[in-house]
Structure formats: C-alpha cells, structure tokens
Amino acid sequence: MENETKLMSVRDAIIMAMSEEMRRDESVFLMGEDVGIFGGDFGTSVGMLEEFGKERVRDTPISENAISGCAIGAAMTGMRPIVDVTFMDFIVYMMDNIVNQAAKTRYMYGGKGQIPVVFRCAAGSGVGSAAQHSQSLEAWFTHIPGIKVVAPGTPADVKGILKAAIRDNNPVIFLEYKAQFNMKGEVPLDPDFVLPLGKADIKREGTDVSVITYGRMLERVMQAAEEVHESDGVNVEVVDLRTLAPLDKDAVLESVKKTGRVLLVNDAHKTGGFIGEVAAMIAESDAFDYLDGRILRLAADDIPTPYNHILEKAMVPSVERIKKYILKLVNKR
Amino acid sequence: MENETKLMSVRDAIIMAMSEEMRRDESVFLMGEDVGIFGGDFGTSVGMLEEFGKERVRDTPISENAISGCAIGAAMTGMRPIVDVTFMDFIVYMMDNIVNQAAKTRYMYGGKGQIPVVFRCAAGSGVGSAAQHSQSLEAWFTHIPGIKVVAPGTPADVKGILKAAIRDNNPVIFLEYKAQFNMKGEVPLDPDFVLPLGKADIKREGTDVSVITYGRMLERVMQAAEEVHESDGVNVEVVDLRTLAPLDKDAVLESVKKTGRVLLVNDAHKTGGFIGEVAAMIAESDAFDYLDGRILRLAADDIPTPYNHILEKAMVPSVERIKKYILKLVNKR
Amino acid sequence: MSNNNAVQMLLCRIILIYAFPTKILRKLIMAKKKTSETALSKEKLLHMYKLMADIRYFDNRVNQLVKKGKVPGMTHFSVGEEAASVGAIAAIGEGDLITSNHRGHGQTIAMEIDLNEMMAEIIGRATGTCKGKGGSMHIADLDKGNLGANGIVGGGMGMAIGAALTQKMKKTGKIVVCFFGDGAVNEGTFHETMNLASIWKLPVIFYSINNMYGISTPISSVINIDYNYQRACAYGIPGHFIEDGNNVMDVYNKFEELVKYVREGNGPVLVESLTYRWYGHSTSDPGKYRTKAEVDEWKKKDPLVKYSKYLTDNKLATQKELDAIEKASKEAVEESVEFAFNSPEPSLESAFEDIFAP
Amino acid sequence: MSNNNAVQMLLCRIILIYAFPTKILRKLIMAKKKTSETALSKEKLLHMYKLMADIRYFDNRVNQLVKKGKVPGMTHFSVGEEAASVGAIAAIGEGDLITSNHRGHGQTIAMEIDLNEMMAEIIGRATGTCKGKGGSMHIADLDKGNLGANGIVGGGMGMAIGAALTQKMKKTGKIVVCFFGDGAVNEGTFHETMNLASIWKLPVIFYSINNMYGISTPISSVINIDYNYQRACAYGIPGHFIEDGNNVMDVYNKFEELVKYVREGNGPVLVESLTYRWYGHSTSDPGKYRTKAEVDEWKKKDPLVKYSKYLTDNKLATQKELDAIEKASKEAVEESVEFAFNSPEPSLESAFEDIFAP
Ligand SMILES: Cc1ncc(C[n+]2csc(CCOP(=O)(O)OP(=O)(O)O)c2C)c(N)n1
Ligand SMILES: Cc1ncc(C[n+]2csc(CCOP(=O)(O)OP(=O)(O)O)c2C)c(N)n1
Ligand SMILES: [Mg+2]
Ligand SMILES: [Mg+2]
C-alpha cells in the first residue's frame, strides 16, 4: 500500500483525506451546510455521513458566522473541526471569527491555546455562477498574521496538503477549485501520505523562465510549460507555491536566481492578488540583481466575474496567454 | 473665503466635510454606532446631532451587518449615506454588504443603479487598543473591483477627499487614523474645496528617491524626507497616493522613472499590504528599466498588534527607519 | 427548578403557536375576506393568472434547456411556488419596491419583467436584462421597483431595509417587500435587519417563502420553533402566517392587509407562507433528501390548478379564458427562447464596462 | 385588518412579559430559594464577598491609574456590576468554562485569576497574563476555564457554542457560560449562535449583563421589546430574568437552577440581569448620555453593600470579617500594582513569538 497510487479526482482525494483523518483521530469532524445526506454542495463529502454518522458529519443551518465561531470554539477546547465553507464568497460572513478571533487568539493570550481548524473553500470561477460565487479571496488571509493558507493544484497534493492542514495546530484556509473537482490524477493510497505545509514544490525543473503559481492555475501553467518546450525549446521551471502563508521565499528566490526571468500566475483578481506580494518580495530581495527583465504577472482581470461563459473564461489566464507571456520573457516572439 | 484656511485637526476637518455636504445635499446623512449624543467613538461627529437632528445623524444598534446593508439599500434608492464604521476591524461584519453587494451590484445589473455610500474607517494602531482594534485593512478592498479606496494624510486632504467621496456615485472606503485625529494643519474653508479621486499628489518634489506612501505614514515620510535632505542633501520625491483604488499608476511610474529609486511605505502588515501591489505594478511596468536597484518596502511587521505600547510602536515604520531605508537606497550609509 | 423551566417552555410553545390569530380567528378573518375578494377586477384576477402561468411555463422551459445543456450557468426554479410570489406582489402598488433572492424568477416575472430580456439573461446574451453579466441570480428591474435577485442567502435584507429607510426619509409613502426563503432566517443579517427595521419603524414586509428545505436541509431541523414567523415576537412586531401559500387569494388577502398596515407607518411585519418547490434546489440536485411521495403530494396542491378552480367555481373566469391565457404564456415563453438564442453574445470589451457609476 | 394587528401586538407584548414567571411566581420561587441559600458554606459565602471586593478595588485602582496616565491602553471597568459576575460564576463547577467580552475584569477575577499577572497585563508588562500582548480586552485563563475576554462585541459567542459542542461530543458533563452585554444582542452572531445552540441542544448559558447602555446608546432605544431575555422565545428555549443583578444571591440562585438545567442536557438558556456600570464606558467618556441623578440612584444599589447587609443581617458573617476581607483585597490590589510596575517591559523579540502553535 505504501507506494500504491490510484487515479482519482480532486473530489475523491478530498473525501479520502478527510475520511482517513477522521478514522485516525476521533477529534476530527466535518461541519457545514448540506455536508450530510446531500454530500456537500460539490459532492465533497459523499458517503461520509454513512460512514461517520450525524455527530461527526454535521449539517448546519445557513449561519456562516455561527458555523465558523462554533468551529473555532470547538478547536480551542480540543476538537479538530473541518468546515466546508462551500463557495469561498460566503466566507464574508466568517471574517470576524477567522481574522479577529482564530488568527489572533494565541498571540493575544501570550502563546496560550491553539486553534486547529480547517476552512475548505471552493474558490474560483468556471461554472457559470457569476460575481457572487466565483471569487478567489486568498489574498485577504495571506495579509493576516496567524492564518495559514494553502492551495494545492493536483489531486495528490490535495490529499497530502489537506491532511497536513487537518493535522496542523493552527487555522488553515484550504482552497479547492469549483472548476477542478473532476480533475484527475494519481493519488497515493498511503494513509500517512502527508505533505509539508510551508514548502513550495518545483513541479518542473527548468533554466529559462520561472513560472510561479499555485492552485487552479498550476494545471494551465504545466501545460503551457510543456507546449513552449515543444514548440520553442524553452525550459520553464514551474514553482508551485502550494502553501501561500507561510510563503516558501527561499524556493522562489532560488528559482528566480537560477532563471532570471519571472512570470507569476494566479486566478484571483490581479490588483491586490497574492502574486503581487510574491512579485514585491522578489523585487525587494537579492534576487532582484539576477533579473533579466520585468517581473510579469498574469491574473484574472479586475472585473466582477461575468455570468456569460465566454466573458467568464476570458477573464482568467488561459494556456495561450501564459505561453505568450513566457515567450515574451525569453524574447522568442 | 475662497482662499481662506484655518488651522484645524483631522477630527474637525472630518466634521466640517460631512457637515458642509449635509448642508449642501439633503440626501446625505450619517449613521453608525454612537454618532449622536456621544459624538462618535473618536469625536468625529461632535455637534452634528445638534445641527442636523436625529433623522440625519442616526444612532444605530450594534449591528454592523444591518448598518452596512441599510446604507447600501438607501444609497441604491437615492440617498447618500456616510457610515461611521468606527474601528476598521469591525468591518469584518460588513464584508458581504460591501464586497458581494455594493461592489458588484451595478456590474451584475448590466450597468444599472449606483451606490453612493462612504464607509469611514478608523484604521491603524497607536492608541493601545491591541490586535482586534488596530488593523489597516485597505488591501482587502483594493483587491475587489467596484470599490474605491482612499486614505488622505493631511487635514486639508481629509476634507477634500472626504467631500469627493461623499459626492462620488460609488462605494468608497475612507481611511482615517486613530493616531492622527488630533494632527493639525491648514484646511481650506471653501465649501467647494473638493479634491479629485484617483489622483496621486506629489507632496514633495525630488530627484534622488521616490518614496511612495499614503494615509498615516505620509506625515512620517515627509519628516524623514526633510531630515535626510538636511543631513545628507538627499532630494526625496514624496508621492502621496491618496487614492489607492483606482490607483494613479501614471504618477507613480513617472516619479520612478525620474528617480530610479523606490521606497514604499504603509502602516498595514507588510505581507499582502497595498504597497506590495504598487511594487508589483512598478516591477512589471516599463519603469522597471529605470530602476537603479531593488524596490524597497517598509510596512508594519507581520504580527498581530501587541498591546504593550513599546512593541506596538516598534511594529510600525518610524521616521528613523524610513530615513535609514532612504539612505540605503542612495548608498549614503 | 427544572419544573419552572418546563412550565416556561410549555407556556412559550403555547404562546408561540397561539399568540397570533388562532386557526378559528384566521378562518373568521378569511370569511370576512372572501366577500372582499370579488372587489378585485376581473382584469386583475386574470392578470394574476397570467403571471402565474408565465412563471410556470418560463421555468419549465428553462429547466428543459438546462437538461439539454443550453443554460451556461446556475439557476433556481420557482415552479410550485407561483402563488406565493404573485399573490404578494399583486397586493403592492405602483412605486413600491421588492428585494429578492437566488430563487427570484417568480418575483421577477410577477414584477412584470420583459420575458425576452429575462430569458436572454439566463442564456447569457448581450440583450439580456443585465447584458449577460448577471445571469439568473442577479436579475433586477430597477425602473419597475425590483431591486434584484441575490446570490447570497440573506443578501437582499440589508438592501430592503435601506430602501425602506429612503421611503421613510423621503416620505414617499412607498413600501418594500423583502423576499427570502425559509433557510435564510438563520442568517445573522435576518436578525439585525429585522431589529433595525423594528426600532426605526421602517415600511418593510419581511416575507419568508417556506418551501420546507434549504437545499437538502429541512427547516424543521434547523430551527427550534415551529415556524419562522414566530420570530417576529423577538422584535415586537406582528408575525403572520399564510398556511396555504399555494392559494394565491390567501396570499393576496394577507398581503393586502399587511401592505395597508405597513404603509400606515406602523413599522415592519414578518410573514411566512407554506409552499413547495417541485424541482431540485438548483440546476443539479439528486434529491435524496425528500421522498417521491412527498413531492407528489405537493404536486396535487398545484397553485395554478387551485386558482383556476377558484376562478371557474366562482364564475370569475371561464376555462376557455384561462386556456387562452396559458396558451399565450407558452407562446410568450417560446418567443423569449427564440429571442434569447437569436441574440448575440456580449462582446469581450463589454466585460470591462459598468463597474463604476460615472 | 389593522385591528387584527393591534390585537396581535397586544397579545405579543403581554406574552413576552408574562410568558416567563410573573413577579409573583418569581417571588414564590425566591422564597423557596431563601431557605436553600444557607446551604452554601460560610467559606463559600465569604469567598464570594472576597471576589466582589477584589473586583471593586482592582478596577477602582485601575481607574486611578488611567487618570494618572499610567495605563497605556484601553480598559473597561466592572465596578457596579460585581454581583452579576460573581453570582453566576459561583454557581458553576470545576471544569466548566466561560467566554467573556471587553468588560471582562469582573468575570476574569471571579474565575480566580492571579491578580498580579492581571494587573501586569493591563500595565502591559512581560509578567502579565498574556505577556503584555493582549491587555485588558484579551485576558484569558485557559487552565481555569476562562476562554478569554474579547474586543469584538459578540466575538465570544461563537467560541462559547463551540466549547459547548466539545463538551457534548466528548461527553464531559461540563457546561459553558457565555457573558455579554445588553448591546450585544443586536449582533447577528447572537442570533446565529443562539439558534445553533438551540437545535444542537448545546450546554451553554447565554448571559446578557444588562447595564442599560451600549456605550452611549440606551438598550431601550435599540430593541423593540422590553428585555433581551424575551428573545429566547425565538429559539424555543427558556428565557430568564434576574431583576436585581446587584443582588449576588439572586444571581447565584438563578444560576444554580440554570446550571443544573443545562447540565442535564436540556439545551441552552438565555438569562439577563439588570445592573449598572458606575464609570464611563471606557477609559474616556464624557458621559453626556446619562444623568448624574441616574448614576447616583444606582450607586445606592451598591452590590457590595447589599451583600454585606445580607450577610450580617442573616448572621452569616460579622462586619469584622467583611472588613478584613476588604482590607485583604485592597492589599492584594496594591501588591498587584507594585508587582506590575516592578515588572519588565516585554522584549522587542517577544513580539515575534506566539503567532503560530507548533
Ligand atoms: C451566505 C450564503 N450561504 C449559503 C449559500 C448557498 N445556498 C444557496 S441557496 C441555499 C438554500 C437557501 O434556502 P432557502 O432560504 O430556504 O431558499 P430556497 O432555496 O429553499 O428557496 C443555500 C444554502 C448562499 N448562496 N449564500
Ligand atoms: C463588532 C463591534 N462593534 C462595535 C464595537 C465597539 N464597542 C465596544 S463596547 C461597545 C458597547 C457594548 O455594549 P454592551 O454589549 O451593552 O456592553 P457594555 O459595554 O455595556 O458592558 C461597542 C459598541 C466592538 N468592540 N465590536
Ligand atoms: Mg427553502
Ligand atoms: Mg451595556
């Protein structure tokens, strides 16, 4: 079993990660709207009610504030709740509990207590649900000390990072992507397959350009990297941040120093998006001296997500646009 | 009167701006917790109940969600509310109304309707009120299309920008600083003194270094600029953004091209703070080619605001640190 | 000691159920109403039928399109709940306002939206109500007083009280109806807006359309009282119950009463009607959470059938007239589908417009 | 029609006031209680006095320090409200938990915090409960079951129900008391947490200490009912009222009853006590919103005087014993001041510690 893998979707990797942790540790439980018989708005808890029962797969009222507060209180007193936020946009109603309470409590109490809680957020656009159901709001949380933020981009990473998040003793914002629940990949079956938080993963080694990304955009970046390699012989290094907070600065800077060319990609709005922070971090570091040119960014346009699927698609970086930017960086076209 | 000015505090400039607009336009009104007989948590509405009465200076229950929602609904239907959020930290309870509703409604409705509402937020640390009462959260809003964000740094700008915000037909987040309500300066008495939104202001012309800042840090930056000029003959250009969204990119880039050296300063947490966005914007622009060195940032440390006043003070950029960074940029020390 | 609590709880329960007009009282009031019903003009009665038919056929058609993969986004259907919206909106006047929620088609059509534009919006075209940018969950019709559907549960409540505040401050004499579901009463915004409206005596009717589920969650499992309207007591305002939300005249009569009360400046009310949605929650829904028997039972209480029976039994309309209305509805819906699919996609540039007001 | 509403409103009001034990009933219960009171050991009775005295002298002293500019941050005082906290906490048991709010000194001291560390925290020193990082609004004592004060109005409510959920899931038999003010009942989180606790039958006592104002705002102006406890009805749970929140035995007796009820697994309750804060809202407060006469009136209802009279009248303690307690309190407070000011400031490096748990 140790090295066995299975082809499965992100959705199934999530269910597997949560279920394994719930089998392993009595104090882990899942709560959220329609996580029970409905199996989650995105099917990410199908079958779990049947295995774990109502006490550990807790359907809640439509009360995001109480859900998040309750989870935090439970976490402070010895439980390890996982909250299904469903659409990340609804996290607006959880901001006090996450930002003013969970993130700050341990610090304000002088290092006492801990809040092991995971908020699973379905982020991003791509399913035609318009402006109030399509946001990737990770930048709000990376700005706040005391919260970890993770955004894995493959089914295997989803499993390994989610398990790490559940085992971590701090509040973790976990991004999953509406448009990628069906994305498939090989996933290790080992119930002790846990990836480290705070470490970036070089998904592709390269020498010409560093493309730094995370979450939903990883898939497109990887495809673009392969394609420019084939078409133009460009060797792209893909740095998958995987954890946004705390950020693995060393991995980023090392790659930048190696290639001297940087493209940053995320699916959140460009202005104020997390890749802007990474760009700024590079620009103020010693890696600046290794830069061959501007630090480019590709992100979602600064518009509310339109309902129309053509406009919706156009606002997010495509493989084509990523390729164009890579080639621009190496002056190939 | 047209060119007359008076020495007054930020607090009085706020009261003057609101009062003038309320006299001018019947649809403008103020609402929030304790804005009436108490005169506002920070005294920013003292005397207004007496002049305008209970209907237009509306004390509310402790219900930030209802306050913000009510303001938005009133704005959609023809009123122009000003909301006293008091401590900016409490805006956590207004996030749905501001981010999912106010910012997106016009877009989602295909260009119909408008929401002229101002949220006045007392931001920043400096008064010993610890981690839940000291945040500068402007970065959350600059990330969201459809919201304007302003942060003036002198009493005169406070008046001119607040009046512009009230007259603007869109939701505006207005930052005022707890630590600076008593800061004094000459303020124009002209009731038509209105400054433009979306325009940066060069507060000091210079040739050696561009220091880009806004809000609370402007005062320190100006002092640092004067001091390094005197001590080392360094000519600092101070770019006061004043409006963060929409950002006056041209003004920033022009200054950077002129000096080739950049320091960015704000009082929000460094990671994910708005100056990171400005740094990224510079690094991806044609101004990159004019840079003589790294783009430096000075911001609050990434820690929850400590209660102890020494630690509280130390976490925010001081005049000394700003000077040090300026001199570092010009290799003077 | 625990006795004391037990007694209290019993009292509390009794009160919650009987504080508001008992069944008998309600019957009496209804009886009184029965006579006044005919006060409605035939034109109005038939128009209400038309609106219900429009909702029914419009949403049936959208559902077909969804199944064929022709709707590129999320929608929620009002089929089965037609009376709950039409009865309420028939009772408000020119210039009155509404706010709606994700399941807004019923209210939107009852507020007399252009069906062509509405269908085009759901299909996402440039000719849509929102130029294709909003979709089903964000259709508004500001000129007609519809402040819009809303994708956030409870998201319209703040807007509703704000709009009501405007009416009060400007002394327009207009009122606002705030539509939401049963599940929405557990959002904090419900509490805060109800309270603020109650202390400021704002002219707003909070209207909970209870279709018994929030997605898969039965309302009975997420409140510890029997009905949502009973929460009115926490705000010192009247709570009203429309037992048969599928009976459009019951809804209308209750709203006629409430609109008058609210318009007279007495402050807000909370009202709840019982109804049922025939389809799943949204575009996809396996529906494991409710039985076929339950769905079938409710289909027997079809609001359109009820209303047509009422109209014909009371000789207020002939079957022929009603058939003609249904036919016209179907045609209008077909026309809207044609209009929608013949409309252009919005241009890429249009995505960058309409963010800020000038 | 409007008659109907008027009748309803009347019923509603009558019910809200009389749903819960009437005055007479309350008197009867109290009479029954009077006898049981003596069940408390003398040691316990005197200890309650000590805690009340500690609160009084501690906060009086902090207020003096504030006036001298020696407190480098925001504080809120519990003077005048001592009975409301001590009576409640005296009724809970070992391992039970509390959450508190910005005005947390009373509860914190009643939960037996080390006064030296508490004073050092308020002065912001390294030896403080929170190493000087939290200050008055964030003092917690997790080992003793105090989950902490909170700077956000309503901020502790979520924690309280979560802590209660833990007790339920782990079957510890422990309960949680959630302290908040009168103004906090208008936060959405109040509604959501009350509701969630009610449907999950969580062992939590929601306790509103009504000192009649939220900063400058009279509670009567921001709710449309008479008392906060009446909102219990919206959640189908018992609502209780402690008319004299300055009478520590009244508070204790009511809580004894409620703790038992909640511990038995009957789900949450809401309880409210009436009291008054003698000082301004926070460190600075011009106090224009209330009259001197009102403040003076309440000072006559001094909780310590009431309790000392009760103890001596009933021969449960001698004046001498009480004097000794007060003296000891004053000394302890003085010692804490000395301890605080002799403590070092936290190091600059310490600011970067304690953000994440290992
Ligand atoms: C704040 C928020 N939380 C959750 C959702 C997801 N959601 C959409 S509709 C719905 C159920 C709403 O139930 P109800 O109010 O009864 O309306 P119905 O769909 O039954 O008409 C939920 C949970 C949302 N849109 N917004
Ligand atoms: C969410 C939030 N809104 C507003 C405030 C500012 N504030 C602090 S205390 C207070 C009044 C609280 O009143 P109450 O609950 O009655 O407690 P009291 O101070 O009277 O003990 C307010 C409005 C806050 N801290 N948090
Ligand atoms: Mg429902
Ligand atoms: Mg109070």
Side-chain angles (χ1 to χ4, degrees), chain A residues 34 63-64 128 132-133 307-308, chain C residues 122 124 151 186-187 216-217 345:
Chain A
D34 304 290
S63 305
E64 289 79 10
Q132 291 178 335
H133 287 74
Y307 172 74
N308 175 280
Chain C
I122 291 166
N186 290 327
E187 288 284 9
S216 71
T217 307
E345 302 280 358

Side-chain angles (χ1 to χ4, degrees), chain C residues 1-2 4-9 11-13 15-16 18-21 25 29 32-33 184-192 195 198-201 220-225 230-240 253-254 256-258 260-261 264 266 269, chain D residues 1-2 4-9 11-13 15-16 18-21 25 29 32-33 184-192 195 198-201 220-225 230-240 253-254 256-258 260-261 264 266 269:
Chain C
M1 285 169 291
S2 279
N4 173 9
N5 275 304
V7 171
Q8 268 204 39
M9 293 295 295
L11 271 169
C12 182
R13 190 148 282 252
I15 285 142
L16 278 177
Y18 293 100
F20 305 99
L25 232 151
I29 295 161
K32 202 190 97 200
K33 274 298 167 50
V185 300
N186 290 327
E187 288 284 9
T189 189
F190 167 83
H191 176 66
E192 294 192 14
N195 184 60
S198 77
I199 61 168
W200 286 357
K201 284 198 175 302
S220 57
S221 72
V222 285
I223 57 173
N224 198 34
I225 49 177
Q230 296 165 331
R231 286 194 167 156
C233 254
Y235 313 100
I237 62 168
H240 289 261
N253 286 331
K254 175 56 79 181
E256 198 191 30
E257 170 196 335
L258 300 181
K260 184 160 183 291
Y261 174 86
E264 279 168 357
N266 296 303
V269 299
Chain D
M1 280 167 296
S2 279
N4 174 8
N5 276 304
V7 170
Q8 267 203 41
M9 294 294 297
L11 272 168
C12 183
R13 190 149 281 253
I15 285 141
L16 279 177
Y18 294 100
F20 305 102
L25 232 152
I29 296 161
K32 202 189 101 204
K33 273 297 167 50
V185 300
N186 290 326
E187 288 284 9
T189 189
F190 168 83
H191 176 67
E192 294 192 14
N195 184 61
S198 77
I199 62 168
W200 286 357
K201 283 197 176 300
S220 58
S221 72
V222 286
I223 57 174
N224 199 33
I225 49 177
Q230 296 165 331
R231 286 196 166 152
C233 254
Y235 312 100
I237 62 169
H240 289 261
N253 287 331
K254 175 55 79 179
E256 197 190 31
E257 169 196 335
L258 299 182
K260 184 161 183 291
Y261 174 87
E264 279 167 357
N266 298 302
V269 298

Side-chain angles (χ1 to χ4, degrees), chain C residues 169-230:
Chain C
M169 288 182 81
K170 295 201 166 178
K171 301 195 175 60
T172 63
K174 304 304 174 194
I175 68 154
V176 182
V177 184
C178 174
F179 287 84
F180 49 90
D182 47 287
V185 300
N186 290 327
E187 288 284 9
T189 189
F190 167 83
H191 176 66
E192 294 192 14
T193 56
M194 288 278 291
N195 184 60
L196 194 63
S198 77
I199 61 168
W200 286 357
K201 284 198 175 302
L202 300 179
V204 53
I205 298 175
F206 289 93
Y207 181 21
S208 177
I209 296 187
N210 183 352
N211 61 13
M212 297 166 59
Y213 294 88
I215 306 187
S216 71
T217 307
I219 183 67
S220 57
S221 72
V222 285
I223 57 173
N224 198 34
I225 49 177
D226 292 317
Y227 291 108
N228 289 333
Y229 78 91
Q230 296 165 331

Side-chain angles (χ1 to χ4, degrees), chain A residues 33-38 41 46 50 59-65 87 89-90 92-93 127-133 301-312 314, chain C residues 71-74 121-124 132-138 150-154 183 186-187 189 214-217 222 285-286 288-289 345-348 350-352 355:
Chain A
E33 292 158 21
D34 304 290
V35 293
I37 189 168
F38 201 67
D41 275 9
V46 167
E50 291 73 6
D59 266 335
T60 65
I62 312 176
S63 305
E64 289 79 10
N65 184 299
F87 291 84
D89 315 69
F90 309 156
V92 288
Y93 282 142
V127 299
S129 42
Q132 291 178 335
H133 287 74
D301 293 320
D302 290 323
I303 58 174
T305 305
Y307 172 74
N308 175 280
H309 62 293
I310 301 169
L311 306 192
E312 182 192 20
Chain C
V71 177
M74 213 195 270
E121 187 57 37
I122 291 166
I123 306 302
K133 293 181 193 175
S136 162
M137 275 192 296
H138 305 294
N150 209 304
I152 301 296
V153 169
N186 290 327
E187 288 284 9
T189 189
I215 306 187
S216 71
T217 307
V222 285
D285 176 350
K288 275 205 295 181
Y289 53 88
E345 302 280 358
S347 69
L348 286 179
S350 74
F352 296 89
I355 300 173

Side-chain angles (χ1 to χ4, degrees), chain A residues 107, chain B residues 306 308 310-311 314, chain D residues 124-126 131 133 344-353:
Chain A
Y107 188 84
Chain B
N308 175 279
I310 301 169
L311 306 192
Chain D
R125 298 301 164 93
K131 304 182 189 165
K133 293 181 191 174
E345 302 280 356
S347 69
L348 285 177
E349 306 79 61
S350 74
F352 296 90
E353 295 158 6

